[in-house]
Amino acid sequence: MRKTNFILLAALLTACASKETTALVEPLPPQSSVIELRNVTIPANFTISDFDWDRQTLTLQPFSMDLYSSEAIRRMKPGDKFLFDSDTLTVGTVEFDGDYVLINKGIEEGGADLRQEGNGFYRGVIWDDYATFTPLNSVTLPLSDTWTLIDCGENLTDPSIEVIADHQVYLDALPDYHEQFSLLNTSVEIKNGQIVSIARRWTP
């Protein structure tokens, strides 16, 4: 009888301990197409100096948007750890508000914001509704013979500029403050491992 009671007590303690375990909620791994960079459109960082005009290549820093499993977000509870914008937070509160989830009262209170996407995932959100991203390894990719640059003007109301030839001439003529291409304003389209277009939009 005593042995039986001991086994029952041990089982109860184990059950209680399992209920108190904490989880680490982190972004889903990047899709294989992003890692391989074969056929994908990605945000990226680079400058004009990263172009190699002799080899017709561009060295860039690609990024993967931080997406979270809807199931993991719904199951998140106080005490769990949450990886957000490269920081690990201890979850205190989780509030669902329409398409948004506020963790620890949201980013304005030092927490985190998430927004539900049409694909069923949640994405990390920072100021002005920009997404959070995870950097991938820098890579050098060839430029297609027919690649296109779609660039924003110097002002928000300026029309976009489409450059299909003499890319180096155009880029070399840009003012210094316009030489940086950022993940928040630049997307690079890759097909069959070659860059076919770069689009930069104006951001405040």
Side-chain angles (χ1 to χ4, degrees):
M1 181 65 70
R2 291 180 179 178
K3 184 177 181 180
T4 302
N5 289 340
F6 177 80
I7 293 173
L8 290 174
L9 178 60
L12 288 172
L13 291 175
T14 301
C16 292
S18 64
K19 292 180 181 179
E20 296 174 357
T21 56
T22 60
L24 171 62
V25 180
E26 55 188 336
L28 296 168
Q31 298 177 357
S32 60
S33 59
V34 175
I35 297 173
E36 296 168 0
L37 297 179
R38 293 291 302 170
N39 295 283
V40 69
T41 299
I42 55 166
N45 280 350
F46 58 88
T47 67
I48 293 175
S49 63
D50 292 318
F51 285 92
D52 187 326
W53 299 114
D54 292 331
R55 293 183 172 84
Q56 287 295 295
T57 61
L58 171 62
T59 300
L60 53 86
Q61 169 76 73
F63 290 81
S64 173
M65 182 184 294
D66 291 339
L67 295 176
Y68 299 83
S69 160
S70 295
E71 181 181 357
I73 297 303
R74 288 194 299 267
R75 295 174 59 182
M76 192 161 48
K77 62 187 183 304
D80 285 345
K81 301 296 183 181
F82 181 69
L83 184 60
F84 177 77
D85 200 20
S86 299
D87 289 330
T88 301
L89 307 177
T90 298
V91 177
T93 60
V94 182
E95 303 170 61
F96 289 84
D97 184 10
D99 290 338
Y100 288 87
V101 179
L102 306 181
I103 299 167
N104 297 351
K105 304 298 182 181
I107 192 171
E108 293 184 358
E109 300 294 332
D113 288 3
L114 299 174
R115 181 173 181 176
Q116 190 168 29
E117 295 293 282
N119 54 15
F121 299 114
Y122 284 91
R123 67 174 171 90
V125 177
I126 54 175
W127 306 109
D128 297 322
D129 206 36
Y130 287 124
T132 62
F133 297 87
T134 296
L136 306 176
N137 293 331
S138 296
V139 64
T140 299
L141 296 172
L143 298 164
S144 166
D145 293 337
T146 57
W147 76 281
T148 301
L149 171 63
I150 301 172
D151 200 12
C152 58
E154 295 186 12
N155 302 300
L156 179 60
T157 57
D158 291 344
S160 297
I161 301 165
E162 184 171 339
V163 183
I164 60 174
D166 298 324
H167 304 89
Q168 182 179 3
V169 174
Y170 170 80
L171 292 171
D172 286 347
L174 291 176
D176 292 345
Y177 66 85
H178 215 46
E179 292 185 355
Q180 176 70 46
F181 288 75
S182 163
L183 76 142
L184 294 182
N185 64 20
T186 302
S187 60
V188 178
E189 182 182 3
I190 302 164
K191 289 185 178 179
N192 297 320
Q194 292 188 326
I195 295 173
V196 297
S197 74
I198 297 172
R200 176 167 61 175
R201 68 182 187 277
W202 200 95
T203 57

